[in-house]
Amino acid sequence: MANALVFIDNPGASLKKSSLELLTLARQLGETAVAVNGELNDDAAATLGAYGVTAVYQPSSNDLGDYLVGPKAAYLAAAVAASGATRVLLENSPEGKEIAGRLGIKLSAGVITDVVGVEADGTAHKSVLAGSYNTSAKATTPVAVLTVKANLIEPQPADTATTPEVAKVEVPADATAAAARISSREAKPASGRPDLSEARIVVAGGRGVDGDFGPLEELADVLGAAVGASRAATDAGWIGHDAQVGQTGVTVSPQLYISAGISGAIQQKAGMQTSKVIVAINKDAESPVFEIADFGIVGDLFKVLPQATAEIKKRKG
Ligand SMILES: Cc1cc2nc3c(=O)[nH]c(=O)nc-3n(C[C@H](O)[C@H](O)[C@H](O)COP(=O)(O)OP(=O)(O)OC[C@H]3O[C@@H](n4cnc5c(N)ncnc54)[C@H](O)[C@@H]3O)c2cc1C
């Protein structure tokens, strides 16, 4: 019987860093099982073993990816029953949270989202009200469902590798009956940059970029970073809404968040305040962003960013 069950959707050729983080965290809760949706190749299976996973579950039907989240929650509920796990960990993505909510209803389980830390007894920590308070919460139900933010811990393989048992889980026949089916998919043009919510470094721009994200993109590319934005920048149409960081956008917790031309409104802070190191560039020394910045540069981003990019390029050789 496992203590924790981690959901990994579409593991792909190699597991994402956020999945490895969940596996590392789950081990702190005890014996870990994984419910995979989608194909699991040999490399990904070997990685699960390296992270100490004892059991891997797969759905009896291969078409869950053809539907929106409902059938995935039904599968996960069946995997929880099969594994005996009392803690379920998912990514804190919009889809992860939606599956968590539906799973919570199916299992009458407490759901805690936006988790930034979990203790061995299942107590979850959150950073709330734009990072002004840290709260602790523990579900009182037999099973707890937690969605965990990315970039909180460094992935660590287990001291002793395992060879996980692989088992099929029967997805209830009615799981797909009334579910919304995906009728078409269109690949998003690849930017070559990491996914915003998972990136170790984010370079974000606000109204101060005045329509020109060029200097931010150049810095992002030398750092291997994702590009984010304030709502002022996305509302102005300078960059897509999927780049918006904040209360009504993406929540990020990178190792480094570079904020350029952003004033640091509470709604912006809500999405980035848990970043490990915050560097702010703003021409107004009184800007509130400097209250949360670890390093602040009072200056014009169009002068500061190209200098930073040139220096990093030089040091990289
Ligand atoms: C319900 C609600 C939800 C919201 N959700 C979000 C959200 O998810 N994310 C979000 O970001 N906002 C959100 N907002 C909006 C938020 O309140 C702010 O209006 C927004 O964050 C401001 O964006 P900004 O900092 O880019 O612009 P501004 O506040 O206009 O700041 C621009 C900054 O750029 C600086 N600047 C200008 N030129 C330069 C230059 N050349 N070099 C350096 N610095 C320069 C200025 O000094 C200024 O500090 C929300 C608001 C509401 C009401």
Side-chain angles (χ1 to χ4, degrees):
M1 283 295 180
N3 303 86
L5 180 73
V6 173
F7 178 54
I8 301 182
D9 202 3
N10 284 319
S14 61
L15 296 184
K16 288 192 298 184
K17 181 168 169 280
S18 54
S19 301
L20 301 180
E21 290 169 14
L22 287 183
L23 295 174
T24 307
L25 208 58
R27 263 202 332 269
Q28 297 171 15
L29 303 174
E31 200 173 312
T32 302
V34 164
V36 168
N37 177 45
E39 214 163 300
L40 181 69
N41 73 11
D42 290 348
D43 284 353
T47 306
L48 294 180
Y51 276 75
V53 171
T54 53
V56 175
Y57 297 95
Q58 291 185 297
S60 53
S61 56
N62 292 327
D63 63 349
L64 299 190
D66 294 344
Y67 296 89
L68 298 184
V69 294
K72 291 180 191 170
Y75 156 56
L76 213 43
V80 170
S83 66
T86 51
R87 319 268 183 238
V88 186
L89 304 186
L90 300 98
E91 279 185 20
N92 198 55
S93 60
E95 177 160 321
K97 288 195 233 183
E98 199 177 339
I99 295 172
R102 287 168 183 261
L103 182 63
I105 290 168
K106 285 185 189 300
L107 300 177
S108 294
V111 177
I112 307 175
T113 57
D114 299 328
V115 171
V116 296
V118 189
E119 287 174 31
D121 71 350
T123 302
H125 299 285
K126 293 171 59 129
S127 170
V128 301
L129 294 173
S132 331
Y133 291 87
N134 292 322
T135 60
S136 302
K138 192 174 173 193
T140 53
T141 47
V143 176
V145 182
L146 313 177
T147 67
V148 184
K149 287 190 180 183
N151 289 316
L152 294 168
I153 50 167
E154 273 306 309
Q156 276 294 336
D159 292 337
T160 317
T162 50
T163 309
E165 300 276 329
V166 180
K168 290 275 179 205
V169 169
E170 202 59 43
V171 180
D174 60 356
T176 53
R181 187 185 266 274
I182 296 166
S183 55
S184 71
R185 280 194 167 90
E186 201 176 316
K188 210 171 120 189
S191 70
R193 299 195 184 103
D195 183 63
L196 179 58
S197 54
E198 291 200 352
R200 288 172 60 83
I201 306 177
V202 172
V203 181
R207 204 189 309 272
V209 309
D210 200 18
D212 180 8
F213 267 81
L216 283 90
E217 289 172 344
E218 281 170 29
L219 178 61
D221 288 341
V222 293
L223 291 171
V227 174
S230 73
R231 181 153 145 187
T234 58
D235 279 355
W238 299 336
I239 187 166
H241 278 284
D242 52 359
Q244 184 181 313
V245 173
Q247 184 184 317
T248 43
V250 179
T251 304
V252 298
S253 286
Q255 298 291 319
L256 172 63
Y257 187 90
I258 301 176
S259 160
I262 297 179
S263 60
I266 190 159
Q267 297 89 352
Q268 157 73 198
K269 284 185 198 166
M272 46 66 79
Q273 189 145 357
T274 52
S275 304
K276 296 278 179 310
V277 176
I278 299 170
V279 175
I281 301 142
N282 197 301
K283 66 181 185 185
D284 175 8
E286 302 297 318
S287 178
V289 73
F290 290 125
E291 291 164 12
I292 54 158
D294 298 287
F295 299 95
I297 301 166
V298 180
D300 183 345
L301 70 92
F302 292 102
K303 292 197 179 124
V304 175
L305 293 182
Q307 286 177 34
T309 306
E311 185 63 27
I312 293 163
K313 273 187 184 160
K314 202 168 84 190
R315 288 182 186 219
K316 279 177 139 185

